[in-house]
Amino acid sequence: HITMVYTGETKHIFKGNRERLCDAYTKGGFIYHQGGESTTRYNTDVDVVFRQEAMFMYLTGVTEPDFHLVLDVAKKELTLLMPRLPAEYAVWMGHIDTPEE
């Protein structure tokens, strides 16, 4: 499951943020935004503590790295694009979430 700062009753906060952004774009279209990227320290296997990019957090509440979003302005619909991780990732980092999760 995708880690989010707010879940359940507070999900409407992020939906409201996206709706206000869509309302500001009167010509319709799509908005693409890249979330924060994961990085390692000095090209080693040590991850730097991750903090999500502020606008991405404001629009989605997703706290995990390497996500992207596409927002259909006319429909006010969000599509989250999650990173594709190799199967070997699970050996060291645990279960890899699927889009359904």
Side-chain angles (χ1 to χ4, degrees):
H1 103 107
I2 299 170
T3 305
M4 299 181 78
V5 173
Y6 301 105
T7 58
E9 297 174 10
T10 56
K11 281 186 178 182
H12 70 280
I13 293 170
F14 300 106
K15 184 176 182 182
N17 294 342
R18 293 189 300 271
E19 288 175 352
R20 283 189 295 281
L21 179 62
C22 289
D23 290 342
Y25 282 80
T26 58
K27 294 184 180 183
F30 295 88
I31 296 171
Y32 165 80
H33 191 72
Q34 178 179 346
E37 296 178 325
S38 59
T39 59
T40 56
R41 182 176 296 158
Y42 308 117
N43 295 320
T44 66
D45 63 349
V46 178
D47 291 330
V48 174
V49 176
F50 176 75
R51 296 208 39 161
Q52 186 58 270
E53 191 275 329
M55 182 56 75
F56 195 86
M57 176 66 82
Y58 175 79
L59 295 173
T60 67
V62 174
T63 60
E64 296 181 20
D66 304 320
F67 275 73
H68 301 251
L69 71 82
V70 177
L71 188 56
D72 182 330
V73 173
K75 295 180 182 177
K76 297 182 180 178
E77 288 183 356
L78 171 70
T79 302
L80 277 176
L81 307 172
M82 65 187 294
R84 292 186 182 187
L85 300 170
E88 295 82 11
Y89 180 88
V91 172
W92 304 105
M93 303 302 284
H95 174 72
I96 299 172
D97 291 335
T98 64
E100 292 77 27
E101 292 176 306

